[in-house]
């Protein structure tokens, strides 16, 4: 289907807000296809330049080869047309291409050599430093087993000045450390690499921490290795772009004696091999995972069953340790043979055999919170539970040990030791899932969600709570879990603003209704109405998300009709204020739909409910209702009613500075009925001027 130029440009703009993934890749490729068809050459160039960055920084760098090559050829044909603002970016992107091209064994090595020569020629012609050229020559030499050349390029780069085309202060040391580790110069690698841990680059500190794991272990710095692993994994665990760094962290689990942790990482991330970033990272991950599995098999657990979570709606079948070890070892060596065929040596095969057969190095460096010294960080209850985990594990009681892990996680959370609580509850969830203890696993997930929240990992907290709710089986909730409706409301609060938050509160409201909790039902509906964007704003969140609005309004209308059918709720308290909140929120949506009269009717009922409350705490809520009433009366051409509502709102407030909106409504109402002198006096009393009135025409909330 053909598109107009405006449609193509709109599609490109919409792609900016998409998360990196197949949908965004497809959108960019569609934009490029239609831009070419429409002859929008300069626009197509700009889109390809942007797409090169998107592809390179996700898991599809092969796509970047095509967009970069097109732009480079166009630039060389018409430098005056495409130069200027693109000169620096094209030279910078040369580094990405070289970094990626040698990671594909199907691409002849001569291609990398030619790219390096072209890069050097262009850098020299522009008067730039060769620092970045030498860095990437070293990376190619190291990858192809030319270690003497890699060392030579490293030494040359170390004495060459940096400039604006050099990598940042975090990435240059990371590539240097990779070379130094291959050369066995561990102490130097640590000296060069550690300052980069403080870099603000988006690739750091996960890259440098991962590169330093092996030198730390080989030099007996176990505690530093543990901290480097923890810091790195925290940053890479949600992004398949980091498959290569994950391989280094898997090897660390073997070297440091943390095979249980290694198995956890394999179960969690094996699906990343379904879309590896490059064959090199695929090979390294497969070999590192084989090392973990082979070590587990060597201790007599070859028949242990591994279970894999669903990824993109598909779950890999369970696998035995021994069988998966063979599969991944063969996969790694098969890719290594392809590299060797291209490189003309056996460097990668030899390297991968060493990786897949790796073993412990030095003293164990325990990662688990249940194996580390907690004396200075935990109370007696936690230490007692940790001891129980150890005793039950030693006795072969996996179920008892898993339950004790969950109890320890809950105790750590109560002590506000959030990072430790996260680790403990993650371990508990994984082990309880393996054992099929669904009720206990659900309780542990609730602890995990709150631990993530306390540790500042809000998105992971939301995901953990959503996973718990998705797995909820009606009729069999865990006794230690809050009711489902309360968890739905909690997730709505965590999500903040938007259709998804509103949908969670709507689900909570329905749950509370089923339990006969009228006040909680109305409170949840009020939150849902407040959090769902009004009017056209919903469309920005996508049609699927906006679909909740009709159901939400229908539920609110039904609840209000049910509650108000026989008059206002009797008595005072939570039910009355919650009902007023629903009326207020419902009126806001009616107003956005152009139903001003119906909105006024709902707000008048909300006002009556709030005015019968004795507590001063309802004053802010009543003030909002009165302000919106005043605005609607202005819209409907009733300035006297608007004035009355505004004056009532002002009477609730002691501080004139807090009465800005109420004062503006009053001024507009007075002006509308010709009382200009009184309007001017109100403006003076509240410090208002004409600029404040500009744009305030009765359409604002």
């Amino acid at each position: 289907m053909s598109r107009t130029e405006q449609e193509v440009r709109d599609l490109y703009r919409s792609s900016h807000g998409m998360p990196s993934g197949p949908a965004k890749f497809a959108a960019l490729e569609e934009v490029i296809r239609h831009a070419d068809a429409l002859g929008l050459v300069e626009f197509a160039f700009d889109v390809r330049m942007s797409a090169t960055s998107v592809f390179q920084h996700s898991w599809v760098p092969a796509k970047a080869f095509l967009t970069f090559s097109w732009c480079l050829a166009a630039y060389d044909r018409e430098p005056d047309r495409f130069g200027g603002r693109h000169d620096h970016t094209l030279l910078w992107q040369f580094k990405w291409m070289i970094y990626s091209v040698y990671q594909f064994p199907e691409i002849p090595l001569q291609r990398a050599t030619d790219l390096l020569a072209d890069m050097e020629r262009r850098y020299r012609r522009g008067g730039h430093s060769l620092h970045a050229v030498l860095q990437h020559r070293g990376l190619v030499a190291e990858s192809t087993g030319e270690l003497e050349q890699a060392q030579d390029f490293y030494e040359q780069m170390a004495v060459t000045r940096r400039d604006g085309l050099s990598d940042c202060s975090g990435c240059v040391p990371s590539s240097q450390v990779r070379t130094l580790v291959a050369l066995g110069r561990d102490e130097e690698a640590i000296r060069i690499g550690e300052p980069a841990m403080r870099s603000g680059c988006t690739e750091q500190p996960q890259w440098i921490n991962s590169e330093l794991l092996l030198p730390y272990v080989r030099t007996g710095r176990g505690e530093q290795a543990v901290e480097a692993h923890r810091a790195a994994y925290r940053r890479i665990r949600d992004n398949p772009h980091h498959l290569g760094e994950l391989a280094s962290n898997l090897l660390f689990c073997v070297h440091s004696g943390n095979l249980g942790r290694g198995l956890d990482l394999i179960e969690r991330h094996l699906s990343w091999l379904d879309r590896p970033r490059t064959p090199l990272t695929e090979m390294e991950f497969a070999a590192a995972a084989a090392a973990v599995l082979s070590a587990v098999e060597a201790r007599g657990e070859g028949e242990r069953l591994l279970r894999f979570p669903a990824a993109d709606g598909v779950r890999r079948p369970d696998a035995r340790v021994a069988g998966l070890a063979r599969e991944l070892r063969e996969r790694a060596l098969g890719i290594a043979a392809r590299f060797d065929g291209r490189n003309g040596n056996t460097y990668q095969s030899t390297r991968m055999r060493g990786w897949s057969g790796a073993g412990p190095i030095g003293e164990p460096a325990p990662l688990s919170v249940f194996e580390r010294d907690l004396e200075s960080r935990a109370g007696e209850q936690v230490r007692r539970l940790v001891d129980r985990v150890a005793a039950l594990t030693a006795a072969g009681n996996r179920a008892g040990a898993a339950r004790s892990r969950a109890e320890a996680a809950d105790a750590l959370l109560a002590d506000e030791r959030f990072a430790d609580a996260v680790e403990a509850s993650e371990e508990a969830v994984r082990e309880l899932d393996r054992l099929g203890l669904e009720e206990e696993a659900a309780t542990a997930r609730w602890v995990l969600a709150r631990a993530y929240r306390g540790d500042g990992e809000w998105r992971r907290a939301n995901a953990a709570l959503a996973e718990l709710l998705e797995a909820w089986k009606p009729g069999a909730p865990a006794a230690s879990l809050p009711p489902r409706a309360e968890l739905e409301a909690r997730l709505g609060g965590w999500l903040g603003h938007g259709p998804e938050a509103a949908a969670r509160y709507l689900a909570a409201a329905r749950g509370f209704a089923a339990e006969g909790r009228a006040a909680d039902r109305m409170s949840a509906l009020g939150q849902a109405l407040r959090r769902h964007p009004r009017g056209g704003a919903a469309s920005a969140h996508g049609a699927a998300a906006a679909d909740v609005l009709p159901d939400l309004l229908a539920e609110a209308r039904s609840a209000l009709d049910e509650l108000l059918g026989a008059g206002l709720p009797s008595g005072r308290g939570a039910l009355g204020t919650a009902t007023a909140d629903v009326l207020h929120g419902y009126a806001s949506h009616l107003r956005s739909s152009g139903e001003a009269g119906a909105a006024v009717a709902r707000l008048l009922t909300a006002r009556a409910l709030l005015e019968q409350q004795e507590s001063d705490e309802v004053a802010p809520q009543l003030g909002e209702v009165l302000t919106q009433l005043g605005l609607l009366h202005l819209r409907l051409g009733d300035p006297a009613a608007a004035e009355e509502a505004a004056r009532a709102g002002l009477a609730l407030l002691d501080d004139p500075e807090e009465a800005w909106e109420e004062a503006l409504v009053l001024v507009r109402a007075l002006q509308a009925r010709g009382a200009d002198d009184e309007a001017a006096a109100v403006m003076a009393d509240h410090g208002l001027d004409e600029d404040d009135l500009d744009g305030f025409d009765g359409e604002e909330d």
Side-chain angles (χ1 to χ4, degrees):
M1 181 184 72
S2 61
R3 289 180 179 265
T4 66
E5 178 178 345
Q6 188 58 50
E7 288 174 336
V8 174
R9 292 185 181 274
D10 288 345
L11 177 59
Y12 180 52
R13 278 193 292 271
S14 70
S15 72
H16 296 331
M18 295 181 181
S20 186
K24 183 165 189 169
F25 307 154
L28 288 170
E29 289 172 331
E30 184 176 355
V31 170
I32 290 169
R33 186 167 59 254
H34 287 290
D36 287 345
L38 291 167
L40 305 174
V41 179
E42 293 182 8
F43 176 62
F45 186 97
D46 291 343
V47 174
R48 281 183 169 93
M49 290 289 287
S50 175
T52 298
S53 180
V54 171
F55 296 152
Q56 180 68 23
H57 290 98
S58 60
W59 56 89
V60 288
K63 291 180 181 290
F65 296 154
L66 300 176
T67 52
F68 173 79
S69 298
W70 189 96
C71 289
L72 189 65
Y75 174 86
D76 285 343
R77 283 194 306 270
E78 300 179 84
D80 292 338
R81 184 179 188 182
F82 298 112
R85 61 192 178 96
H86 291 301
D87 290 343
H88 183 275
T89 304
L90 275 171
L91 290 176
W92 187 276
Q93 290 182 353
F94 257 96
K95 300 186 298 181
W96 297 347
M97 297 305 104
I98 292 165
Y99 182 75
S100 295
V101 75
Y102 71 81
Q103 299 189 39
F104 289 82
E106 294 77 17
I107 299 177
L109 201 55
Q110 187 61 43
R111 175 62 174 150
T113 303
D114 291 344
L115 267 174
L116 280 163
D118 192 17
M119 177 182 179
E120 180 169 345
R121 178 179 62 81
R122 293 172 189 267
Y123 275 47
R124 286 187 183 278
R125 185 175 65 192
H128 304 293
S129 170
L130 296 184
H131 185 274
V133 176
L134 291 166
Q135 176 191 358
H136 286 78
R137 285 193 182 280
L139 284 171
V140 172
E142 182 270 321
S143 177
T144 57
E146 303 292 342
L147 297 186
E148 290 186 6
Q149 286 187 22
Q151 177 167 297
D152 183 47
F153 289 131
Y154 167 76
E155 303 292 354
Q156 291 182 56
M157 181 182 64
V159 296
T160 300
R161 70 176 177 86
R162 295 167 53 88
D163 68 359
L165 287 169
S166 298
D167 281 357
C168 74
S169 59
C171 291
V172 168
S174 296
S175 64
Q176 289 176 308
V177 167
R178 186 176 180 92
T179 298
L180 290 168
V181 171
L183 295 170
R185 294 159 62 174
D186 292 332
E187 292 290 351
E188 188 176 357
I190 293 169
R191 178 175 58 80
I192 294 293
E194 283 187 332
M197 292 178 175
R198 296 181 290 276
S199 167
C201 172
T202 56
E203 297 295 327
Q204 302 300 343
Q206 61 270 19
W207 185 12
I208 190 62
N209 276 318
S210 299
E211 295 290 355
L212 285 173
L213 289 171
L214 183 55
Y216 274 150
V217 170
R218 289 198 303 212
T219 58
R221 294 173 169 89
E223 282 300 314
Q224 288 168 271
V226 166
E227 292 309 311
H229 164 74
R230 287 160 62 89
Y233 185 66
R234 187 183 181 98
R235 296 285 293 272
I236 67 180
R237 61 184 173 186
D238 294 322
N239 190 347
H241 169 73
H242 297 298
L243 185 65
E245 288 96 327
L246 187 56
S248 298
N249 284 269
L250 277 173
L251 271 186
F252 164 71
C253 292
V254 179
H255 296 325
S256 60
N258 288 284
L259 297 181
R261 171 74 158 186
L263 287 177
D264 290 341
L265 298 187
I266 291 170
E267 287 182 317
R268 196 180 307 174
H269 299 292
L270 190 65
S271 63
W272 287 9
L273 279 181
D274 295 338
R275 53 180 186 188
R277 187 170 187 274
T278 67
L280 181 71
T281 57
E282 176 187 0
M283 174 185 74
E284 291 182 343
F285 180 89
V292 172
L293 296 164
S294 296
V296 172
E297 182 182 8
R299 69 183 188 186
E301 298 181 47
E303 292 304 304
R304 180 171 177 169
L305 195 64
L306 301 181
R307 301 181 64 191
F308 306 99
D312 298 326
V314 178
R315 196 174 82 82
R316 182 186 176 104
D318 297 347
R320 303 287 178 185
V321 163
L324 186 58
R326 287 191 299 273
E327 175 189 332
L328 294 179
R329 189 183 307 111
E330 291 170 2
R331 185 169 180 171
L333 292 176
I335 298 171
R338 288 155 50 198
F339 275 109
D340 289 349
R342 183 196 69 177
N343 298 338
N345 58 32
T346 60
Y347 176 70
Q348 290 294 0
S349 291
T350 301
R351 180 167 165 260
M352 289 303 100
R353 285 192 180 90
W355 275 37
S356 58
I361 298 176
E363 294 296 318
L367 278 168
S368 172
V369 66
F370 297 103
E371 297 173 359
R372 298 198 307 273
D373 179 14
L374 288 172
E375 289 296 325
S376 62
R377 298 186 298 149
E380 181 179 348
Q381 181 187 9
V382 173
R383 292 196 296 272
R384 176 174 54 79
L385 288 167
V386 169
D387 290 342
R388 186 194 299 172
V389 169
L392 291 169
T393 301
N397 186 346
R398 290 178 62 193
R403 293 187 180 99
S404 294
R405 281 185 170 88
E407 290 182 58
D410 200 17
L412 287 163
L413 179 62
D415 285 348
E416 297 187 354
R417 302 187 180 280
F418 299 118
D420 287 333
V422 165
E423 286 194 31
S425 49
E426 283 182 338
E427 289 190 33
V429 166
R430 287 192 293 270
E431 190 63 13
L432 290 164
D433 278 345
R434 289 188 187 114
L435 295 169
L437 300 173
E438 295 180 0
E439 183 173 321
E440 291 93 333
T443 302
R445 277 191 172 82
W446 174 226
V447 175
L448 177 59
R450 288 177 290 148
Y452 279 142
R453 188 81 181 175
D455 203 32
E457 297 190 69
W458 290 5
R459 280 190 293 184
R460 296 188 70 82
N462 296 345
L465 184 48
E467 183 180 359
L468 169 59
L469 288 166
E470 287 166 11
W472 190 285
K473 293 185 177 179
S480 56
L481 282 176
R484 180 186 180 115
E486 293 182 15
L487 293 179
E488 292 279 11
R490 178 71 68 97
L491 182 53
W494 286 1
L495 288 167
H497 184 78
E500 187 178 354
R504 291 296 181 176
Y505 271 116
L506 174 58
R510 288 169 170 165
F512 288 136
E515 296 173 18
R517 297 166 60 175
D520 290 328
R521 177 195 188 188
M522 300 308 284
S523 178
L525 280 173
Q527 290 289 350
L529 289 163
R530 283 177 175 271
R531 290 165 190 265
H532 197 291
R534 294 190 291 277
S539 62
H541 297 266
D547 282 346
V548 71
L549 185 57
D551 286 347
L552 172 56
L553 295 177
E555 186 75 20
R557 186 167 54 250
S558 173
L560 289 170
D561 290 347
E562 178 183 326
L563 195 61
L564 301 176
L568 297 182
S570 60
R572 302 178 177 88
L575 180 57
T577 56
T579 304
D581 197 33
V582 175
L583 287 161
H584 184 191
Y586 190 43
S588 295
H589 286 277
L590 289 171
R591 177 186 174 192
S592 296
S593 301
E595 300 178 63
V600 166
R602 295 296 186 180
L603 288 172
L604 288 171
T605 305
R607 178 180 181 176
L609 276 171
L610 292 171
E611 286 178 340
Q612 77 175 17
Q613 306 298 315
E614 293 181 339
S615 171
D616 292 337
E617 294 178 359
V618 303
Q621 186 180 358
L622 178 57
E624 289 182 17
V625 168
L626 290 166
T627 299
Q628 194 169 24
L629 258 177
L631 289 168
L632 283 167
H633 284 310
L634 284 174
R635 180 187 293 185
L636 292 170
D638 189 350
E643 179 182 347
E644 186 278 329
R647 290 190 185 280
L650 284 169
L652 295 172
L653 302 170
D654 297 326
D655 187 349
E657 292 185 0
E658 296 180 0
W660 186 79
E661 282 193 312
E662 290 84 349
L664 284 173
V665 174
L666 179 56
V667 169
R668 283 298 194 203
L670 291 168
Q671 290 176 336
R673 65 179 187 82
D676 292 337
D677 290 343
E678 191 175 355
V682 173
M683 291 178 68
D685 288 344
H686 291 275
L688 303 175
D689 56 31
E690 291 298 328
D691 289 339
D692 294 314
L693 289 175
D694 288 345
F696 189 83
D697 56 2
E699 296 299 317
E700 302 295 327
D701 283 343

